[in-house]
């Protein structure tokens, strides 16, 4: 498993942008697919975006397509989530996760989780 630490959350106005970062420990980071999930109050955790081990394939929830971009830097053991045109419904705790299969497309395959970072979008 890898250890994951998120950063970059905060309070932003609707229409604004934030970039989340997730730093991973361990020399096998480049073999893992990485993803972002979120959980809003009173709701179940949901998949937001995923990226394959090489960065060659990305996957997005319909609700964030065209607004969010996931990327990774294997040299820095870091994955990012650039969030633009934020909406109040994007308010949630955002979690970084790792998928040992390397694929990143199946939410149930993620098995390592960070502690989460709060994103609050004010309208």
């Amino acid at each position: 498993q890898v250890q994951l630490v998120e950063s970059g959350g905060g309070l932003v106005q609707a229409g604004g942008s934030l970039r989340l970062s997730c730093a991973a420990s361990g020399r096998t980071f480049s073999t893992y697919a990485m993803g972002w999930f979120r959980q809003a109050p009173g709701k179940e955790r949901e998949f937001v975006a995923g990226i394959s081990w090489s960065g060659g394939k990305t996957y997005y929830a319909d609700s964030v397509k065209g607004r969010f971009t996931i990327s990774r830097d294997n040299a820095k053991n870091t994955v990012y989530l650039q969030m633009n045109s934020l909406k109040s419904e994007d308010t949630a705790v955002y979690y970084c996760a790792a998928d040992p299969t390397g694929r990143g497309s199946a939410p149930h395959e993620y098995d390592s989780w960070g502690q989460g970072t709060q994103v609050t979008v004010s309208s």
Side-chain angles (χ1 to χ4, degrees):
Q1 287 191 335
V2 293
Q3 283 71 53
L4 306 170
V5 179
E6 304 95 336
S7 62
L11 174 64
V12 64
Q13 288 189 332
S17 299
L18 279 176
R19 189 176 81 154
L20 305 183
S21 299
C22 173
S25 64
R27 290 175 289 181
T28 58
F29 173 79
S30 62
T31 68
Y32 282 79
M34 298 298 296
W36 290 93
F37 291 70
R38 67 186 182 187
Q39 187 168 21
K43 295 187 177 181
E44 293 187 353
R45 187 165 57 190
E46 63 175 354
F47 175 80
V48 175
I51 187 167
S52 63
W53 67 273
S54 66
K57 294 184 178 181
T58 57
Y59 309 93
Y60 296 94
D62 288 343
S63 59
V64 306
K65 280 180 182 176
R67 300 188 299 122
F68 291 10
T69 302
I70 188 170
S71 61
R72 67 188 297 161
D73 185 337
N74 285 347
K76 295 183 178 179
N77 279 18
T78 303
V79 62
Y80 306 96
L81 185 68
Q82 178 67 44
M83 304 185 294
N84 299 329
S85 302
L86 282 161
K87 306 175 182 180
S88 57
E89 50 263 45
D90 295 318
T91 295
V93 177
Y94 282 71
Y95 297 91
C96 176
D99 166 14
T101 71
R103 290 187 287 267
S105 58
H108 69 274
E109 292 181 334
Y110 289 82
D111 69 355
S112 298
W113 300 86
Q115 294 299 306
T117 186
Q118 177 70 47
V119 171
T120 303
V121 183
S122 63
S123 56

